Amino acid sequence: MHLRLEKAMTPAPPYRNHLHSSDDLVTTYAATRAGFVAQALEKNRRAVPYIAEARALQEAASQAQTPVDLLHIPGIEAGLLAAAGLSEKALVHLQEEDKRQAIENLIQNFLEPAGEKFVEELVFRFLLTRGDKLGGSMRNIGGILAQRKLTRAVLSTLRIAGIPYRWQHTKTRQWVDMTDDDSEIEFSLRGLSWKNADSSRTLIYNLTVPLVYNSNVDICLFNLNPDELVSTQYTSATSYIALGELKGGIDPAGADEHWKTARTALDRIRQAFADHAHSPYLFFIGAAIEKRMATEIWDQLERGVLTNAANLNDDHQITSISRWLCNL
C-alpha cells in the first residue's frame, strides 16, 4: 500500500482576494472622472459658509452711503479685515491700530475708487481672501475623501460582523461609543477601536510614529486599546500590527509622485521596524494608479515586500482590504 503525502496548503496572500494581476490596480478613466467630480462637489460644499458670509456682509454694508460709513457699522469688522486681505492667522499678530489702518487702506485704495459700486467691490475682495482659504483647505482634499471612504468601509465591515466599536473625534481627541446612527461620523473621525476575538485593535490615521524617526504615517493598526496606546506613547514596536500609506489624489499627472512618496515612506517604516526586530504588515491604497506604478506595486506584493494593496476607486478592493484590516 502506497501512502501519498500531500503538502499542506499555504493560505493565499490577502491581496489575492481582490487582485488577479497588476491590471486590477490601474485606475480607469471612469474612476478618474468620478474622482474629479467628487472633489468639485466637496469644494462646493465647503464654499457654502463663505458664500453665506459674503451675503451677510453685503446686506450689512448696503446700509452705508459712502465707503467711510462702513467704519461705523457694527458687526462687520471681521469682514472688512478679510476684504483687506488679512487672514485669520495674520490677525493674531496685529494690534487694533494695525487693523484700523488696514481697513482705512482698503477704503482709500479700493472702495472709494469703485464709486457707487463700493459694496460690490468689498464683497469681491472678501471672497478673494476667503477663496485663498478655501484653496488651502482643498490642497489635501484627495486625502480627506480617501480617509472618509476607507473609514466607511471599515465601519460597514464591523457593523455587518456585529462588532461594536469606539471612535475618536479629530478635534477633541475624545473616544465615543458607537450608536445606532453612525451616519457622517467619517467627517470627524481620527481613530477606531474594536475587539478581534479577545484582543483589542485600534486604528489611528495620520499619526506621528516615534519609531519611524517621528515621521507621519497615514494609517496605523495596533493590538492595544486606546488607553494602553497612550500609556505606551506609541513607542512599543510589537504593538504595531500594520502600517499603510493612503494616497487619495486622483489626478493622473501626480500619480507617479504619490507612489514615489508612499514607497519612500513604506521603505522608511520597514527599515525602522527592522531595527527593532519587528515586521508589521505594510500596505498601500491609492486613487490614481497608472500602469507602470501598478506593475511595481504588484511586484512588491508578489515578493512579499508589501502585504496588501488596493485601488481606492474599486469598491470590491476597498471592502476586501477593510475586511483584512478588521480580521488582523
Side-chain angles (χ1 to χ4, degrees), residues 7-13 16:
K7 293 182 179 180
M9 293 183 63
T10 302
R16 285 287 186 174

Side-chain angles (χ1 to χ4, degrees), residues 71-87:
L71 294 170
H72 308 296
I73 298 176
I76 65 169
E77 182 186 39
L80 294 175
L81 289 169
L86 296 174
S87 67

Side-chain angles (χ1 to χ4, degrees), residues 203-253:
L203 184 150
I204 301 290
Y205 289 111
N206 301 315
L207 181 69
T208 299
V209 179
L211 300 175
V212 191
Y213 323 112
N214 284 320
S215 298
N216 181 275
V217 178
D218 292 340
I219 309 169
C220 295
L221 180 67
F222 299 89
N223 59 10
L224 301 174
N225 65 44
D227 293 334
E228 292 170 330
L229 266 181
V230 172
S231 65
T232 64
Q233 297 180 331
Y234 307 102
T235 58
S236 171
T238 56
S239 67
Y240 291 81
I241 300 176
L243 300 96
E245 286 293 299
L246 176 64
K247 300 304 177 188
I250 195 64
D251 190 347

Side-chain angles (χ1 to χ4, degrees), residues 4 52 144 165 190 306 314:
R4 186 174 64 185
I144 293 170
Y165 62 82
R190 177 178 179 259
L306 280 177
D314 189 301

Side-chain angles (χ1 to χ4, degrees), residues 67 104-119 121 125:
E104 290 177 351
N105 288 339
L106 168 70
I107 292 172
Q108 293 170 9
N109 297 326
F110 301 104
L111 301 189
E112 288 182 343
E116 62 182 18
K117 294 185 178 296
F118 71 90
V119 173
E121 181 73 16
R125 291 189 172 277

Side-chain angles (χ1 to χ4, degrees), residues 183-311:
S183 59
E184 297 190 348
I185 67 172
E186 63 267 32
F187 283 80
S188 52
L189 182 149
R190 177 178 179 259
L192 273 168
S193 183
W194 65 91
K195 285 278 189 179
N196 187 349
D198 293 327
S199 302
S200 295
R201 296 289 184 265
T202 302
L203 184 150
I204 301 290
Y205 289 111
N206 301 315
L207 181 69
T208 299
V209 179
L211 300 175
V212 191
Y213 323 112
N214 284 320
S215 298
N216 181 275
V217 178
D218 292 340
I219 309 169
C220 295
L221 180 67
F222 299 89
N223 59 10
L224 301 174
N225 65 44
D227 293 334
E228 292 170 330
L229 266 181
V230 172
S231 65
T232 64
Q233 297 180 331
Y234 307 102
T235 58
S236 171
T238 56
S239 67
Y240 291 81
I241 300 176
L243 300 96
E245 286 293 299
L246 176 64
K247 300 304 177 188
I250 195 64
D251 190 347
D256 190 57
E257 194 61 37
H258 286 314
W259 165 238
K260 286 180 180 178
T261 301
R263 183 183 59 199
T264 300
L266 291 165
D267 288 343
R268 185 166 53 241
I269 293 167
R270 188 180 300 107
Q271 182 58 55
F273 278 91
D275 293 342
H276 291 82
H278 184 52
S279 299
Y281 299 119
L282 300 181
F283 62 98
F284 171 75
I285 302 172
I289 301 179
E290 297 296 291
K291 178 66 178 177
R292 187 169 63 83
M293 291 169 52
T295 300
E296 186 174 342
I297 294 167
W298 180 259
D299 177 67
Q300 290 201 5
L301 289 168
E302 293 283 83
R303 292 189 293 112
V305 177
L306 280 177
T307 308
N308 214 336
N311 189 305

